[in-house]
């Protein structure tokens, strides 16, 4: 995990250095004084889909933990935090209760270990390449407006990392 | 006042009635006992039990449509945002990688949530990933029978928001041309491993 984060950081710096400012995909991030919201993305959904999934890495440089309480977006009636697990060959999805803690001086990878933001009752399609506005709601940092990029249906934090650190 | 039948006759009647009750018990009780023993699941077990379901074009299909060809079967539901798109993306990627050989493989997605996964929903879903994937839906009992006979587990799980999610067998199940279980494709395996398994499978079938 540590080395991967380091590799990701190094790769990101290289990628940003190599890319022209206008096409810099890695520049896709958002900041508050304490929090860094790195590459939020949604999975593209089939036409008519009712649900979707979102992923993001949130880094906390502050000395206090913060908590992601919810996500609001016009694209979905509700956003819930879930975890998909496979137990003895059975795939299950269960709610993550009480929001998501972003540890002080650490990060939370929404998308690792089956965690995801689940978009419920989509109001429209989430097509590849769309940009979807949303607001992250934190206990301390408050409301943080961000934009989700839309990646292919099978995209994961890892595939997104790889794509972005490879500088496309 | 009824005349009393002789003792021997009454004993005879008692024995007759006992026999009748025994016979009824014999017929009824086994239904409430657990089935004698579920067969072991493993390589070589036939996964070709009969079914009648509906494909994404609304056509009725049976097991016969998949006979004599290797198969990759995944059981899931379209409201699943995480595990199922990952599996179907993989399936699509593998079909792509197989190129022309993809025609030697049945790639099948069976919904375990036929209530929501109607024919048009299935059509939009499978074709979004790869139109070569066959989507199967149908009446819940038909799906449940098929799943059970093929060692697939699924269950409806209510959620706090009033909706529900489905627990379901997570792997992609591989069958050979004889319809026998060969092995699974698991999410953690690298794509090259999965592709090698499929190539071996269709190589054997040819
Ligand atoms: Cu979910």
């Amino acid at each position: 995990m540590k080395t991967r984060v380091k590799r990701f950081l190094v790769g990101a710096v290289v990628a940003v250095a190599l890319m022209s400012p206008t096409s810099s995909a890695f520049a896709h991030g958002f900041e508050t004084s304490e929090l860094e919201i790195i590459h939020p993305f949604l999975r593209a959904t089939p036409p008519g889909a009712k649900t979707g999934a979102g992923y993001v890495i949130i880094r906390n440089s502050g000395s206090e933990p913060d908590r992601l309480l919810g996500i609001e977006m016009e694209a979905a009636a509700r956003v819930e935090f879930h975890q998909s697990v496979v137990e003895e060959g059975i795939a299950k999805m269960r709610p993550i209760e009480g929001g998501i803690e972003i540890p002080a001086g650490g990060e939370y990878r929404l998308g690792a270990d089956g965690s995801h933001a689940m978009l419920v009752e989509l109001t429209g399609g989430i097509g590849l390449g769309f940009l979807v506005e949303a607001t992250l709601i934190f206990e301390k940092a408050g409301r943080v407006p961000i934009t989700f990029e839309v990646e292919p249906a099978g995209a994961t934090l890892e595939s997104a990392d790889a794509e972005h650190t490879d500088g496309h | 006042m009824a005349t009393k039948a002789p003792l021997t006759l009454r004993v005879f009647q008692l024995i007759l009635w006992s026999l009748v009750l025994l016979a009824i018990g014999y017929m009824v009780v086994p239904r409430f006992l657990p089935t004698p023993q579920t067969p072991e699941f493993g390589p070589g077990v036939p996964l070709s039990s009969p079914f009648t379901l509906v494909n994404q074009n609304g056509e009725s299909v049976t097991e016969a449509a998949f006979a004599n060809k290797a198969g990759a079967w995944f059981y899931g539901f379209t409201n699943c945002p995480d595990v199922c798109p990952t599996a179907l993306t993989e399936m699509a990627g593998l079909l792509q990688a197989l190129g022309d050989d993809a025609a030697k493989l049945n790639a099948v997605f069976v919904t375990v949530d036929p209530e929501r996964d109607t024919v048009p929903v299935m059509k939009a879903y499978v074709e979004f990933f790869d139109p070569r994937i066959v989507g199967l839906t149908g009446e819940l009992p038909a799906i449940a029978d098929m799943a059970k006979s093929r060692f697939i587990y699924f269950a409806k799980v209510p959620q706090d928001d009033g909706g529900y999610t489905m627990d379901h067998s997570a792997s992609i199940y591989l069958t050979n041309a004889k319809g026998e279980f060969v092995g699974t494709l698991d999410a953690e395996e690298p794509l090259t491993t999965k592709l090698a398994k499929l190539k071996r499978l269709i190589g054997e079938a040819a």
Side-chain angles (χ1 to χ4, degrees):
Chain A
M1 177 89 173
K2 274 266 163 56
T3 53
R4 210 181 50 205
V5 170
K6 218 179 279 171
R7 241 180 28 226
F8 172 68
L9 278 173
V10 171
V13 169
V14 172
V16 169
L18 287 178
M19 282 184 283
S20 69
T22 47
S23 74
S24 169
F26 181 74
H28 177 225
F30 305 85
E31 275 181 55
T32 70
S33 57
E34 318 269 73
L35 300 179
E36 197 185 345
I37 289 133
I38 300 160
H39 187 52
F41 70 94
L42 306 178
R43 281 180 166 184
T45 58
K50 302 258 183 342
T51 62
Y55 307 88
V56 62
I57 299 169
I58 303 170
R59 206 165 285 164
N60 181 1
S61 60
S63 55
E64 303 254 316
D66 203 341
R67 187 167 284 275
L68 177 62
L69 300 174
I71 302 178
E72 287 175 4
M73 61 175 77
E74 284 188 7
R78 279 192 312 290
V79 180
E80 301 170 355
F81 299 122
H82 291 168
Q83 183 144 28
S84 298
V85 290
V86 177
E87 285 171 2
E88 290 175 28
I90 310 296
K92 304 172 180 190
M93 188 171 76
R94 298 293 179 263
I96 298 174
E97 307 283 1
I100 284 166
E101 186 177 287
I102 321 294
E107 65 175 16
Y108 184 87
R109 298 169 68 85
L110 184 61
D113 301 322
S115 61
H116 58 273
M118 175 130 164
L119 283 50
V120 185
E121 285 173 42
L122 296 181
T123 50
I126 297 182
L128 193 59
F130 282 18
L131 296 174
V132 177
E133 315 254 294
T135 304
L136 304 188
I137 300 154
F138 292 95
E139 198 171 63
K140 299 201 177 89
R143 299 173 64 87
V144 181
I146 62 155
T147 307
F148 283 96
E149 287 184 348
V150 180
E151 305 233 341
T156 61
L157 273 189
E158 286 70 27
S159 66
D161 272 9
E163 190 193 332
H164 286 266
T165 49
D166 289 349
H168 286 247
Chain B
M1 197 176 123
T3 48
K4 246 187 182 172
L7 184 68
T8 47
L9 190 59
R10 276 162 53 209
V11 168
F12 185 59
Q13 280 179 330
L14 194 71
I15 290 169
L16 268 184
W17 276 115
S18 306
L19 282 174
V20 168
L21 286 176
L22 258 177
I24 290 173
Y26 196 71
M27 286 188 292
V28 170
V29 169
R31 297 186 190 192
F32 300 106
L33 295 176
T35 34
Q37 166 138 44
T38 43
E40 273 309 305
F41 183 55
V45 167
L47 294 183
S48 50
S49 55
F51 63 80
T52 304
L53 294 172
V54 185
N55 70 15
Q56 71 264 36
N57 297 316
E59 298 153 354
S60 176
V61 287
T62 70
E63 74 287 352
F66 305 96
N68 304 318
K69 214 192 226 189
W73 301 73
F74 181 70
Y75 298 77
F77 64 115
T78 72
N79 274 266
C80 149
D82 194 68
V83 174
C84 304
T86 303
L88 288 195
T89 297
E90 265 167 25
M91 237 190 211
L94 288 165
L95 290 174
Q96 194 106 39
L98 285 174
D100 290 345
D101 277 350
K104 298 178 185 165
L105 182 77
N106 291 315
V108 192
F109 170 60
V110 185
T111 180
V112 295
D113 184 16
E115 212 177 307
R116 291 184 293 199
D117 291 340
T118 58
V119 168
V121 170
M122 290 296 278
K123 187 173 177 69
Y125 197 73
V126 292
E127 291 188 352
F128 175 74
F129 292 98
D130 194 307
R132 289 172 290 190
I133 300 173
V134 177
L136 294 181
T137 183
E139 298 296 325
L140 182 58
I143 298 270
D145 280 354
M146 185 220 192
K148 195 177 174 215
S149 69
R150 298 185 178 210
F151 302 89
I152 298 302
Y153 172 86
F154 72 92
K156 194 170 174 173
V157 180
Q159 285 184 302
D160 288 345
D161 62 10
Y164 65 89
T165 183
M166 303 296 299
D167 289 357
H168 59 93
S169 296
S171 301
I172 295 174
Y173 289 73
L174 303 181
T175 51
N176 62 21
K178 284 182 269 177
E180 296 164 344
F181 176 63
V182 175
T184 57
L185 296 181
D186 294 313
E188 311 80 47
E189 289 175 334
L191 199 72
T192 48
T193 309
K194 293 174 185 158
L195 189 59
K197 282 187 180 179
L198 285 188
K199 281 188 169 159
R200 204 178 323 135
L201 188 66
I202 56 180
E204 280 166 6

